[in-house]
Amino acid sequence: QLKAMKSQACCLCALSLHVAATATSGFVRPDGTRPAPRRIRVAPTMKAEQTESSSSSSSSEECNLNNSGICSQFKILTCTSKACSQKRQVLQIDQYATFAALYQRKEEAGDPYSLVDVEESPCLGRCKLAPCVAVEHEDFVGTVGLIGMTDSELNDRVFHRVITEEDCDRVWGSVVGGIQMMAEEEEAN
């Protein structure tokens, strides 16, 4: 599994982060308790009609995503700069909580979504709105805006104040939506 993870962290650090990501969440509620580990939906943007369709059509969609390599073109960047780290510390959140939460979602989603890279990054330029997360796509320069971002996030092309599990769900849902949209466009061409 570590070979699949394309992180710039050293092997020991990557191993500890992988263990943290697959164990429990790094987020702490105001009462001091941690949320229980849970399964997430692989495709939160799917409509009810799509989920009720035959399994053969959903497996063909999976094959299209696998063959096209679309998932491996996306990279989620979690800011580990001073401002983002300090904001997590003030909120009594582990410094790697955002990274671990997003890494956990990609691993739980399975193939082909596990091909999305999740990496630590230097400052993303929105320190007053920390902690921040951005998404890169190999076909574009810099970070990209995704459906699911607020207007200000879309202008900055950075998710702001990614603090709770729900925030991480929103980020992951936007990435999955982007992957599915690109797969549909590629299939149409």
Side-chain angles (χ1 to χ4, degrees), residues 3-24:
K3 288 180 183 177
M5 188 172 87
K6 295 179 181 175
S7 175
Q8 296 174 352
C10 68
C11 290
L12 183 57
C13 180
L15 178 60
S16 66
L17 290 175
H18 176 70
V19 170
T22 56
T24 59

Side-chain angles (χ1 to χ4, degrees), residues 75-79 117 119-121 124 132-136 143:
K75 183 188 305 180
I76 300 172
L77 303 172
T78 60
C79 184
D117 281 336
E119 295 183 2
E120 298 173 353
S121 78
L124 294 171
C132 297
V133 173
V135 178
E136 287 182 345
T143 59

Side-chain angles (χ1 to χ4, degrees), residues 64-182:
N64 291 341
L65 288 175
N66 262 336
N67 293 336
S68 65
I70 293 172
C71 295
S72 62
Q73 296 173 351
F74 282 84
K75 183 188 305 180
I76 300 172
L77 303 172
T78 60
C79 184
T80 55
S81 71
K82 183 177 179 181
C84 287
S85 295
Q86 285 178 340
K87 182 67 172 189
R88 287 185 193 97
Q89 186 177 18
V90 166
L91 295 169
Q92 297 179 344
I93 298 173
D94 181 76
Q95 67 178 348
Y96 298 109
T98 309
F99 174 88
L102 291 167
Y103 189 86
Q104 178 181 7
R105 281 159 177 74
K106 97 166 185 125
E107 288 297 308
E108 287 180 348
D111 286 336
Y113 297 103
S114 63
L115 298 173
V116 173
D117 281 336
V118 180
E119 295 183 2
E120 298 173 353
S121 78
C123 183
L124 294 171
R126 286 296 177 219
C127 299
K128 291 183 180 181
L129 302 169
C132 297
V133 173
V135 178
E136 287 182 345
H137 187 277
E138 68 182 30
D139 290 345
F140 300 93
V141 175
T143 59
V144 296
L146 297 171
I147 295 173
M149 290 179 149
T150 65
D151 289 339
S152 62
E153 289 173 339
L154 198 54
N155 287 334
D156 297 338
R157 295 186 313 244
V158 173
F159 288 93
H160 304 152
R161 295 188 178 101
V162 182
I163 298 169
T164 64
E165 291 287 339
E166 291 77 20
D167 295 332
C168 288
D169 285 341
R170 182 171 65 91
V171 171
W172 180 249
S174 294
V175 171
V176 169
I179 290 169
Q180 291 175 345
M181 184 179 293
M182 292 192 82

